[in-house]
Amino acid sequence: MISIRQVSKWYGSFQVLTECTTEIQKGEVIVVCGPSGSGKSTLIKCVNGLEPFQAGEIMLDGTSVGDAKTNLSKLRARVGMVFQHFELFPHMRIIDNLTLAQIRVLGRASEEARDKGLKLLERVGLKAHAEKFPGELSGGQQQRVAIARALCMDPIAMLFDEPTSALDPEMINEVLDVMVELASEGMTMMCVTHEMGFARKVAHRVIFMDQGRIVEDAAKDDFFGKPRSERAQLFLSKILQH
Ligand SMILES: Nc1ncnc2c1ncn2[C@@H]1O[C@H](COP(=O)(O)OP(=O)(O)OP(=O)(O)O)[C@@H](O)[C@H]1O
């Protein structure tokens, strides 16, 4: 489903990603973790073409992301992306946030888009808030709206970039619960997160990054049982103390 081969990226002379390689199968849930600045967000943004890369290849369901001939907006419409900051349009009602891309990008009729939006709002428990503005919702609710918005596009995979790290602690679980449910339904997911409880519960594999490299790419139980690298052992011992 997602194939990342020997991907390298530079910001000027600074190499942010070095020969990153991994494969994500349909229905797999991958957690990407690692220290701050290790390149996790950059890698995930390369997957849907939000960041260009200079070497290697990323294939998304058979389409090459880095190929200049690839229509990136079409490609992005097929992969849901959820960011740390929900990035909802503040001046638009929740339901309009959900229908905009369906109408503009997928060409759905507004009634159909609205029905779909309401269905997905119901799924994340927020149908009653459809006519509100984002500022009237809590951070956790806004993030659930952002997930519903991504799902409105019938994505073939979902990418999450630290979806809970801007939330107050009591709101983290309501977002993780939605992600756990998605995973249990077989959604292909690549999640940058520090939530190791989530990783233990639903990840199939864990990728550990350090200084722009994929240092470990292991089955969840192997990673948590005994990470191979000292760097990952240190990271886990620190993060699991909290
Ligand atoms: N636009 C940019 N220009 C130059 N350097 C950048 C840019 N974006 C990110 N970087 C650098 O690239 C490195 C990797 O950043 P990235 O955000 O991918 O790391 P991360 O592992 O996701 O970190 P965090 O956990 O703190 O979000 C960092 O050193 C960062 O400063």
Side-chain angles (χ1 to χ4, degrees):
M1 165 71 70
I2 302 173
S3 164
I4 300 172
R5 283 183 222 135
Q6 297 285 316
V7 168
S8 294
K9 174 178 173 65
W10 287 261
Y11 285 119
S13 60
F14 171 65
Q15 186 161 9
V16 59
L17 296 176
T18 304
E19 295 174 5
C20 293
T21 296
T22 192
E23 294 273 339
I24 300 168
Q25 307 300 330
K26 193 169 186 305
E28 254 192 323
V29 178
I30 306 297
V31 162
V32 184
C33 63
S36 182
S38 55
K40 307 177 296 291
S41 296
T42 305
L43 181 66
I44 207 167
K45 284 182 189 151
C46 287
V47 169
N48 73 344
L50 275 178
E51 283 283 355
F53 49 94
Q54 288 81 29
E57 184 177 55
I58 298 181
M59 300 291 289
L60 202 57
D61 201 27
T63 304
S64 171
V65 177
D67 190 332
K69 292 196 285 286
T70 298
N71 181 334
L72 278 182
S73 49
K74 222 170 152 184
L75 186 96
R76 273 186 214 128
R78 301 175 63 210
V79 184
M81 178 113 192
V82 176
F83 300 92
Q84 183 175 0
H85 301 286
F86 337 113
E87 321 225 348
L88 301 173
F89 291 114
H91 60 289
M92 290 172 75
R93 293 181 193 280
I94 298 299
I95 187 64
D96 297 328
N97 266 281
L98 266 68
T99 56
L100 185 70
Q102 294 189 65
I103 296 168
R104 292 246 179 105
V105 181
L106 301 182
R108 284 186 183 147
S110 56
E111 266 315 296
E112 185 190 355
R114 189 179 164 84
D115 286 350
K116 179 100 180 169
L118 290 173
K119 210 165 109 194
L120 283 157
L121 277 179
E122 186 167 23
R123 184 175 161 173
V124 298
L126 294 171
K127 196 175 173 189
H129 300 276
E131 300 300 330
K132 292 187 179 166
F133 290 93
E136 297 177 77
L137 270 54
S138 71
Q141 289 173 327
Q142 289 188 56
Q143 192 59 299
R144 280 149 61 201
V145 170
I147 295 173
R149 178 180 57 180
L151 293 174
C152 280
M153 306 296 279
D154 296 322
I156 53 165
M158 289 282 289
L159 308 177
F160 292 88
D161 189 5
E162 302 199 27
T164 58
S165 55
L167 299 178
D168 290 338
E170 72 270 20
M171 290 172 192
I172 290 176
N173 279 337
E174 65 184 71
V175 172
L176 291 179
D177 286 349
V178 174
M179 293 170 66
V180 168
E181 198 180 306
L182 271 183
S184 72
E185 288 166 7
M187 176 64 81
T188 308
M189 292 164 60
M190 187 171 179
C191 316
V192 176
T193 182
H194 297 295
E195 294 294 333
M196 292 298 115
F198 170 81
R200 278 179 188 275
K201 198 162 166 184
V202 299
H204 296 106
R205 279 187 5 246
V206 178
I207 286 175
F208 176 78
M209 293 187 70
D210 190 26
Q211 295 182 7
R213 291 179 187 271
I214 294 181
V215 178
E216 301 216 21
D217 183 349
K220 169 185 61 182
D221 292 340
D222 293 339
F223 182 75
F224 287 113
K226 194 168 179 16
R228 276 184 296 118
S229 66
E230 254 176 51
R231 194 68 194 82
Q233 284 168 20
L234 186 69
F235 174 80
L236 269 185
S237 68
K238 275 191 187 155
I239 208 163
L240 294 177
Q241 274 168 10
H242 295 293

